[in-house]
Amino acid sequence: MNRMYFDNLDLSILTALSSNARTPYLEIARDNGVSGAAVHQRVQRLMANKVINGSHCCIEPTAVGFTVVAYLGINALPGTDVEKLAAELSKIDEITECHIVSGRFDIIAKLYARDNHDMLTIIRERTRQLQIASTETMVSFREAFTRPIPISND
């Protein structure tokens, strides 16, 4: 995909929506002195160009019973197709992110569990049949921050 360049309205829309995907188009329009239709058209164009690929509802994991978050460093067995391994990991609902990486691990996955026992069960039992040589579990004590990527024409 070719990198897109944005005018001030595009940048304002992207900044507003990345901070809060529920920001009303009319609010963005008022802040930029344009019509709601203009913002709507720009958002549609940004979506068509795959700059915006959806919006998200962020559910607080602890509010629905998931008190442990961990990152798994996964090493595949030699000769394993890591793309296929990632596809198999996607079948484990508690794994919410999976990245094929370089370095010490083949895959890094983010896992949510109800408690430590649940995490151990997921790692030991639900991944046992997969082509995994070894795992390393890194428990997150808390998320220090998360933020959207910076958007500019630089």
Side-chain angles (χ1 to χ4, degrees):
M1 169 190 256
N2 292 331
R3 188 197 189 298
M4 286 189 62
Y5 289 89
F6 310 106
D7 66 14
N8 288 339
L9 180 57
D10 289 332
L11 291 171
S12 182
I13 290 168
L14 291 170
T15 300
L17 294 179
S18 65
S19 296
N20 178 1
R22 293 182 53 154
T23 304
Y25 292 175
L26 286 176
E27 181 180 319
I28 298 169
R30 274 193 303 273
D31 291 346
N32 289 279
V34 298
S35 70
V39 171
H40 178 77
Q41 288 174 339
R42 290 294 184 98
V43 169
Q44 294 304 309
R45 182 178 55 82
L46 291 165
M47 291 172 72
N49 287 315
K50 301 191 184 317
V51 175
I52 297 174
N53 63 13
S55 59
H56 304 278
C57 173
C58 296
I59 297 170
E60 174 56 44
T62 57
V64 293
F66 291 91
T67 62
V68 176
V69 62
Y71 293 87
L72 299 178
I74 300 170
N75 287 310
L77 289 171
T80 299
D81 181 336
V82 293
E83 296 285 348
K84 288 181 181 175
L85 177 55
E88 289 299 314
L89 290 167
S90 75
K91 297 175 184 175
I92 300 172
D93 291 337
E94 294 86 353
I95 294 179
T96 61
E97 290 183 35
C98 183
H99 301 266
I100 297 169
V101 298
S102 65
R104 185 166 128 189
F105 302 108
D106 296 313
I107 291 175
I108 303 259
K110 186 175 185 179
L111 176 141
Y112 285 92
R114 297 193 179 284
D115 54 35
N116 287 342
H117 183 281
D118 185 38
M119 178 179 56
L120 187 60
T121 300
I122 293 165
I123 295 168
R124 285 194 174 163
E125 295 178 13
R126 301 198 30 220
T127 65
R128 180 171 287 154
Q129 71 281 5
L130 303 179
Q131 297 292 304
I132 294 175
S134 65
T135 63
E136 183 175 322
T137 305
M138 297 153 273
V139 174
S140 172
F141 295 121
R142 69 177 179 83
E143 183 176 89
F145 70 88
T146 186
R147 64 176 166 220
I149 59 170
I151 303 162
S152 71
N153 285 320
D154 297 336

